[in-house]
Amino acid sequence: MYAITGITGQVGSALANHLLNQGAAVRAVVRNPAKAQPWAVRGCELAEADIADSDALAKAFSGTEGVFVLIPPNFDPSPGFPDLYPVIASLVRAIDIARPPKVVLLSTIGAQAQETNLLSQLGLVEHAFRHLPVPVAMLRAAWFMENAAWDVASARDQGVLHSFLQPLDKPVPMVATRDIALVAAELLHDTWDGVRIVELEGPRRVSPNDLAQAFASATGREVKPVVVPRDTWETIFAAQGMHHPAPRARMVDGFNEEWIAFEGTGTQVRKGTTSVQAVIDVLVAGAGPA
């Protein structure tokens, strides 16, 4: 039995599907069991637990072969990330009580970066998880290829890809959620001692020019990548409803300036097999007509 948090998200659902297809037993740790009924139909055991309820989490994590932890994403955190610390404390206490044989944390490329940015949240989680009394794997995933979902409409309808990643010919480490799920499943089946860091990207790095070409292939029209000027980012993010746009802007700076990167030293490097073209083909097909 494997306990999976974040099962209603992209990575959690892909991981649960993969484990179920392997014949493994899955316990879905969910805040709202009513919304998770499709997983119960698939054969998952449902465990109701809010991420801030350490006692409920401990019960959900107990008696398992391993736990997959996905921190609920916060794309608009307040300065200093005050909402994150109760979540960390709850998870640490729950794992300390339940003592599962292993924990796999979905982390991120650049978790070790010293510059404060949106991804610093997972750096803080990693720091706390290093002191857990059970084996822990930090699965540091590259930029999600599925982030290109934001670009489907403009690429399909206008033939334009607005890129915050720049310059346009600069390749960036990216990975498909399918490959993240496959490696997470391997880690849950594995055995190790202490802390391990696994850094994961796709088969090749992807530039904005590559993304535009993939959209052109998927949509059947020319798609031109266009740089979004840096001095407009925070205004754009604020217009999208963000109250604190600076961490997101600094995250993109980190990719562009390469201080958000894989650590390399002391880590295990893995590469997935899913191409960006395969991901964008699915995104465009799933979006349907304009």
Side-chain angles (χ1 to χ4, degrees), residues 80-90 124:
F81 313 117
D83 295 335
L84 178 63
Y85 290 98
V87 171
I88 293 175
S90 176
L124 293 169

Side-chain angles (χ1 to χ4, degrees), residues 197-242:
I197 298 174
V198 180
E199 299 187 313
L200 174 65
E201 62 178 302
R204 56 183 290 265
R205 297 190 173 185
V206 181
S207 70
N209 286 338
D210 295 328
L211 286 172
Q213 183 55 49
F215 271 115
S217 177
T219 60
R221 67 171 298 170
E222 181 181 4
V223 177
K224 180 182 179 181
V226 176
V227 166
V228 180
R230 175 62 176 88
D231 60 3
T232 68
W233 291 4
E234 294 193 26
T235 300
I236 291 170
F237 298 157
Q240 293 171 347
M242 297 187 71

